[in-house]
């Protein structure tokens, strides 16, 4: 019963909240569909942490998409064997994962320790920062520690298959029974952040200012006082 809830019911609850929560938030609270900037309070740590996090998280997300979404057989068909894949996952993924982790540590430390930034933060800001840091820590632990301690474990034969089956409405919780605890925690925390997403500042991810690319330049003219 517990496995059925954790690996079937809970993921669908999180995905439903993610989808309908965004629709509700957009229809009722467009004014706050943004990320409140605290740059005017403290800039140096924000800049360093934000750059590290964003440069690291994009390759990490792409790595998760390929690892979870692309079947192992497809990788073999294009010449990427298991050994080559794991080298890329551990070394390349580890590098960008460490960059993401360092950025999150800086951003979380800044939000909790600088009094003025903390006062500007909402409860959801503090929860999101903490949960994101926890997810990255568990991801790094699973990649760099669990994969070394249990080299026989291949998440592409268990987690990846289970994850893809979610979208075909046929998830098999038995596939997750032999998964190491670090991977399980990482997966569950990942779904939890998706459930929180619509109600936090994370919604600003969808507000990419593409209009700026084709927008005319803003001209500033200096007027001399008479």
């Amino acid at each position: 019963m517990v496995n059925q809830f954790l690996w079937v019911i809970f993921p669908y609850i999180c995905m439903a909240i993610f989808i309908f929560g965004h629709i509700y938030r957009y229809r009722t609270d467009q004014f706050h569909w943004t990320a409140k900037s605290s740059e005017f309070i403290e800039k140096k740590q924000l800049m360093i942490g934000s750059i590290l996090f964003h440069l690291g998280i994009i390759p990490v997300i792409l790595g998760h998409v390929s690892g979870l979404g692309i079947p192992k057989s497809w990788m073999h068909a294009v010449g990427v064997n298991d050994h080559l894949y794991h080298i890329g996952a551990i070394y390349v993924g580890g590098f960008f994962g460490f960059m993401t982790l360092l950025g999150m540590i800086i951003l979380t430390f800044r939000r909790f320790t600088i009094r003025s930034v903390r006062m500007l933060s909402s409860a959801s800001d503090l929860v999101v920062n903490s949960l994101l840091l926890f997810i990255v820590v568990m991801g790094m632990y699973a990649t760099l520690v669990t994969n070394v301690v249990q080299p026989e474990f291949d998440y592409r034969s268990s987690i990846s298959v289970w994850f893809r089956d979610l979208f075909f409405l046929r998830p098999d919780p038995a596939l997750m029974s032999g998964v190491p605890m670090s991977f399980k925690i990482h997966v569950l925390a990942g779904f939890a952040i998706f459930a929180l997403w619509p109600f936090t500042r994370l919604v600003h991810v969808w507000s990419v200012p593409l209009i700026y690319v084709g927008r005319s330049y803003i001209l500033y003219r200096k007027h001399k006082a008479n």
Side-chain angles (χ1 to χ4, degrees), residues 53-197:
F53 174 77
H54 286 93
L55 288 179
I57 196 64
I58 293 175
V60 167
I61 291 174
L62 293 176
H64 278 68
V65 169
S66 64
L68 295 173
I70 302 177
K72 185 195 296 189
S73 59
W74 293 16
M75 289 287 190
H76 290 171
V78 296
V80 180
N81 58 37
D82 291 347
H83 179 67
L84 184 61
Y85 177 86
H86 284 299
I87 288 177
I90 292 176
Y91 291 101
V92 178
F95 172 78
F96 287 108
F98 180 76
M99 185 182 296
T100 305
L101 175 61
L102 186 57
M104 275 308 307
I105 290 174
I106 295 172
L107 292 174
T108 306
F109 178 83
R110 171 183 180 272
R111 189 166 294 280
F112 276 89
T113 60
I114 299 179
R115 185 172 179 272
S116 53
V117 176
R118 189 174 68 251
M119 291 180 65
L120 183 66
S121 305
S122 64
S124 66
D125 294 334
L126 301 177
V127 170
V128 165
N129 262 81
S130 302
L131 185 54
L132 281 174
L133 178 59
F134 177 72
I135 291 171
V136 177
V137 168
M138 291 309 303
M140 288 295 291
Y141 181 87
T143 300
L144 301 181
V145 178
T146 306
N147 277 330
V148 173
V149 176
Q150 298 179 249
E152 72 284 354
F153 172 71
D154 183 3
Y155 70 87
R156 292 186 296 163
S157 300
S158 53
I159 301 176
S160 297
V161 178
W162 164 81
F163 180 78
R164 290 194 298 271
D165 284 347
L166 282 173
F167 297 93
F168 293 101
L169 304 180
R170 59 185 187 195
D172 181 6
L175 289 169
M176 298 297 291
S177 60
V179 173
M181 185 58 65
S182 59
F183 280 95
K184 289 182 177 180
I185 294 174
H186 182 62
V187 171
L188 292 174
F191 274 103
I193 199 70
F194 275 97
L196 292 174
W197 195 309

